[in-house]
């Protein structure tokens, strides 16, 4: 805290200026703790009273308030310094640099008020920030601030906030019609607010302006969708608390009866599905081009959408098909991504009560694998073994063993050296035969070793081998429980698999080392 770390005498102005510059460089380097310590050594124990405004002291205070955003123990000093910066900056002349400084001080003061739940005061200060942005001539910043303020005000004044948000979003779209990640950050909370207040038609109008395929970089998309998915819980609570008497008859309302018997988790799932469906509403899953952002949202939507969508205009089954097929058509996709997408799609189809579609998803992976035959044989064998093990999990023994045999045979034909992927496939294919107690039917007899690689790759191979052992043991007990197998090696292998399943911790493959 400043009261403990601050100096008794204010440093000279030049020293303060140097400290602020150094703190800024530390922030650029990601050294936030060092920057905060430097500022706490620069700021006096208390804000000065009656002294002329000091620009560098204002800057130091604003930076310190920014760095202590998540530290409630800094109050009341945080509020005091934020108020000092706010008041002192207002007394500066109206030079452009001082206007920017006043903007930053106003934002710091509003943030400190929000931290104390003094929302009405924070709203008023935030409106001053909007006026300052207008005075600076930054219209984009004005619009962004109006949207942010509307999102903050929604919980307490949802009617007025919704009106303000819609006006600001319309102006934002008129100025910048493209969809960026920053625009999504602004828009999705507004969509959630509109939905929780049963303003579904307005939400659809806002969503119609979103084009998720405008995103060139999807690195931040998953984190944003995670955030809005967690916020839907707060949204449905708002509906139950503020709109408890409303019974909505809109066909796509996710919470038509907010005080009914529907469990809260189910309400949250329905709200999440509605939001993701709104993002997809401008696209047709039957002819949309493969795009990473659209695939991401489609997969999220189908994971939570109602399996029987009598109140849903977006068809989850069609989007599940799109999410899987589009992944397989993306350029540069590797086999691990193809297998992961297929597993996700198969699970979604099962959840949507479409087991035959789950089987077709694996068939599409098989067709995709056929196209790999002219490429990397390791990718092909990995995909084919995933298909074989899917057959295996569902008790389709003959199909599993035939697919595994074909996978290993094709790899042997095309790959003339032992690779990690191929070696793991050979070993796990043998385990499939062992789980069916068909120990002597495995046609591949060429020896391979899991220890012929680097230490790291050997560890990976042994971990995958352990997983294969558990798959084999589960299959044997589920589908061949009465087989009176007298093979001693089989008994030992099952015992090892049982031990792995019991422990499920640490590098259990160490027991397999020679």
């Amino acid at each position: 805290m400043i009261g403990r770390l601050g100096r008794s005498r204010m440093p000279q102005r030049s020293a303060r200026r140097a400290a602020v510059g150094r703190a800024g460089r530390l922030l650029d380097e990601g050294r936030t703790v060092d920057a905060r310590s430097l500022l706490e050594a620069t700021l006096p124990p208390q804000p000065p009273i009656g002294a002329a405004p000091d620009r560098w002291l204002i800057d130091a205070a604003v930076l310190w308030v920014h760095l202590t955003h998540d530290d409630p123990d800094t109050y009341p000093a945080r509020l005091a310094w934020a108020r000092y910066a706010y008041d002192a900056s207002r007394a500066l002349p109206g030079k452009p640099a001082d206007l920017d400084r006043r903007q930053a001080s106003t934002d710091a003061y509003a943030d400190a008020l929000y931290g104390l739940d003094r929302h009405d005061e924070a709203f008023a200060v935030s409106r001053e920030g909007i006026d300052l942005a207008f005075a600076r001539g930054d219209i984009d910043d004005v619009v962004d601030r109006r949207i942010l303020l509307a999102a903050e005000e929604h919980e307490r004044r949802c009617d007025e906030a919704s009106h303000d948000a819609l006006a600001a979003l319309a102006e934002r779209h008129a100025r910048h019609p493209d969809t960026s990640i920053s625009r999504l950050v602004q828009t999705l909370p507004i969509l959630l607010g509109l939905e929780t207040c049963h303003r579904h038609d307005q939400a659809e109008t806002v969503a119609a302006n979103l084009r998720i395929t405008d995103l060139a970089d999807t690195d931040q998309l998953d984190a944003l969708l995670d955030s809005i998915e967690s916020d839907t819980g707060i949204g449905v609570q708002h509906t139950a608390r503020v709109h408890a008497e409303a019974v909505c008859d809109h066909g796509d309302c996710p919470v038509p009866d907010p005080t009914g018997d529907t469990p809260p988790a189910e309400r949250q799932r329905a709200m999440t599905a509605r939001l993701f469906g709104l993002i997809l509403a401008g696209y047709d899953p039957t002819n949309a081009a493969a795009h990473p952002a659209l695939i991401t949202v489609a997969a999220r939507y189908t994971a939570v959408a109602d399996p029987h969508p009598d109140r849903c205009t977006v068809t989850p089954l069609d989007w599940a098909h799109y999410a899987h097929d589009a992944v397989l058509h993306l350029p540069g996709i590797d086999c691990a991504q193809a297998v992961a997408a297929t597993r996700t799609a198969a699970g979604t189809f099962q959840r949507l009560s479409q087991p035959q579609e789950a089987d077709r998803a694996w068939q599409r992976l098989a067709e995709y694998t056929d196209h790999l035959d002219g490429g990397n044989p390791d990718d092909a064998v990995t995909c084919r073994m995933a298909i074989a093990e899917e057959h295996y999990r569902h008790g389709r023994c003959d199909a599993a063993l035939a697919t595994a045999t074909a996978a290993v045979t094709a790899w042997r034909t095309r790959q003339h050296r032992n690779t990690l992927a191929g070696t793991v496939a050979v070993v796990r294919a043998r385990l499939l035969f062992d789980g069916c107690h068909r120990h002597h039917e495995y046609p591949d007899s060429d020896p391979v070793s899991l220890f012929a690689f680097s230490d790291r790759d050997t560890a990976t191979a042994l971990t995958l081998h352990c997983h294969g052992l558990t798959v084999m043991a589960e299959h044997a007990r589920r589908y061949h429980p009465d087989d009176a197998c007298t093979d001693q090696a089989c008994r030992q292998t099952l015992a090892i698999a049982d031990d792995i399943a019991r422990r499920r911790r640490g590098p259990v493959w160490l027991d397999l080392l020679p």
Side-chain angles (χ1 to χ4, degrees):
M1 294 293 293
I2 292 174
R4 182 175 67 253
L5 299 177
R7 297 172 178 173
S8 59
R9 292 177 61 250
M10 292 178 63
Q12 296 297 320
R13 183 168 301 186
S14 59
R16 250 192 323 268
R17 178 176 182 174
V20 171
R22 172 63 176 156
R25 289 191 294 273
L26 290 172
L27 281 177
D28 291 340
E29 297 169 5
R31 298 166 60 185
T32 56
V33 174
D34 292 338
R36 176 174 168 176
S37 298
L38 177 61
L39 292 169
E40 288 176 344
T42 301
L43 293 170
Q46 299 292 332
I49 299 175
D54 183 323
R55 289 177 173 82
W56 299 109
L57 189 59
I58 293 171
D59 291 346
V62 168
L63 270 178
W64 183 75
V65 170
H66 167 71
L67 287 173
T68 55
H69 173 79
D70 296 320
D71 188 352
D73 293 336
T74 56
Y75 287 97
R78 185 168 188 265
L79 181 63
W81 277 109
R83 182 59 192 253
Y84 162 78
Y86 171 76
D87 289 337
S89 65
R90 287 158 64 95
L92 293 171
K95 297 178 181 178
D98 289 335
L99 202 56
D100 291 343
R101 186 171 279 111
R102 185 176 172 187
Q103 181 85 76
S105 300
T106 301
D107 293 345
Y109 186 38
D111 187 64
L113 290 169
Y114 279 125
L116 291 174
D117 291 333
R118 292 165 57 173
H119 291 92
D120 288 338
E121 296 172 78
F123 294 157
V125 175
S126 295
R127 290 190 184 90
E128 289 185 36
I130 294 174
D131 294 338
L132 284 169
F134 187 81
R136 288 170 32 243
D138 191 343
I139 303 304
D140 284 342
D141 192 30
V142 171
V143 175
D144 290 346
R145 288 171 179 276
R146 287 170 57 196
I147 295 171
L148 180 61
L149 179 58
E152 292 284 357
E153 287 187 312
H154 179 266
E155 180 64 21
R156 288 157 185 81
R157 294 194 287 267
C158 55
D159 287 342
E160 298 90 337
S162 296
H163 179 272
D164 293 344
L166 288 170
L169 286 173
E171 185 172 350
R172 174 75 152 79
H173 180 67
R175 294 177 61 82
H176 301 286
D178 60 304
T179 297
S180 62
I181 197 71
S182 61
R183 182 177 174 187
L184 281 177
V185 169
Q186 293 175 334
T187 305
L188 292 184
I190 302 300
L191 277 181
L192 174 59
L194 293 171
E195 283 294 316
T196 59
C197 296
H198 298 299
R199 298 173 179 269
H200 308 297
D201 292 339
Q202 293 173 332
E204 290 168 2
T205 299
V206 170
N209 291 328
L210 294 176
R211 299 296 297 175
I212 195 72
T213 50
D214 287 348
L215 295 180
D217 185 355
T218 60
D219 289 345
Q220 302 176 61
L221 183 58
D222 274 316
L224 175 57
L225 297 178
D226 284 341
S227 176
I228 198 66
E229 189 169 353
S230 66
D231 287 345
T232 55
I234 300 173
V236 296
Q237 291 173 16
H238 173 88
T239 305
R241 184 176 61 257
V242 180
H243 306 283
E245 303 303 319
V247 177
C248 185
D249 60 359
H250 190 282
D252 289 329
C253 178
V255 192
D257 184 5
T259 58
D261 296 330
T262 306
E266 177 62 19
R267 296 176 190 275
Q268 184 173 356
R269 181 207 59 77
M271 183 66 75
T272 301
R274 169 65 173 168
L275 290 178
F276 292 164
L278 284 171
I279 300 173
L280 298 171
Y283 298 91
D284 183 348
T286 62
N287 59 24
H291 189 282
L294 196 59
I295 292 169
T296 297
V297 179
R300 293 285 196 121
Y301 170 69
T302 57
V304 294
D306 190 343
H308 308 289
D310 57 326
R311 296 180 63 87
C312 184
T313 56
V314 182
T315 55
L317 187 60
D318 286 341
W319 277 116
H321 280 300
Y322 167 82
H324 184 228
D325 291 341
V327 166
L328 299 184
H329 286 89
L330 280 177
I333 183 177
D334 60 35
C335 66
Q337 292 171 303
V339 171
T342 303
R343 288 201 178 107
T344 298
T348 297
F349 287 129
Q350 292 286 356
R351 194 184 73 81
L352 296 175
S353 303
Q354 299 288 335
Q356 71 281 4
E357 295 297 334
D359 292 340
R360 290 194 185 106
W362 288 102
Q363 181 57 41
R364 285 192 292 275
L365 179 64
E367 294 166 0
Y368 166 81
T369 304
D370 291 340
H371 294 296
L372 296 176
D373 283 338
N376 188 337
D378 287 347
D379 284 349
V381 76
T382 299
C383 286
R384 286 196 174 101
M385 283 304 301
I387 297 168
E389 291 186 351
E390 178 65 15
H391 286 311
Y392 202 67
R393 287 187 180 91
H394 292 280
R396 298 188 287 267
C397 304
D398 289 342
L401 302 186
T403 303
T405 300
V408 172
T409 300
W411 177 78
R412 290 282 196 193
T413 301
R414 298 180 54 226
Q415 183 63 275
H416 303 296
R417 62 185 180 86
N418 282 341
T419 61
L420 179 63
T423 299
V424 169
V426 170
V427 173
R428 288 184 68 145
R430 180 180 295 281
L431 290 176
L432 300 188
F433 280 82
D434 288 343
C436 295
H437 300 297
R438 294 159 67 169
H439 309 294
H440 305 294
E441 296 181 28
Y442 185 41
D444 188 271
S445 58
D446 291 343
V448 293
S449 173
L450 296 175
F451 305 97
F453 308 99
S454 67
D455 291 345
R456 181 176 180 179
D457 284 349
T458 294
T460 299
L462 289 171
T463 300
L464 292 172
H465 179 45
C466 286
H467 180 260
L469 284 168
T470 60
V471 170
M472 177 271 290
E474 289 167 3
H475 176 90
R477 285 175 170 74
R478 181 176 182 182
Y479 295 106
H480 308 285
D482 299 325
D483 285 16
C485 183
T486 58
D487 189 283
Q488 185 62 30
C490 176
R491 295 179 182 178
Q492 292 174 349
T493 302
L494 287 173
I496 292 174
D498 287 342
D499 187 51
I500 293 171
R502 274 196 306 272
R503 292 194 289 169
R504 295 285 188 187
R505 69 178 188 275
V508 296
W509 46 262
L510 289 175
D511 294 337
L512 303 175
L513 291 172

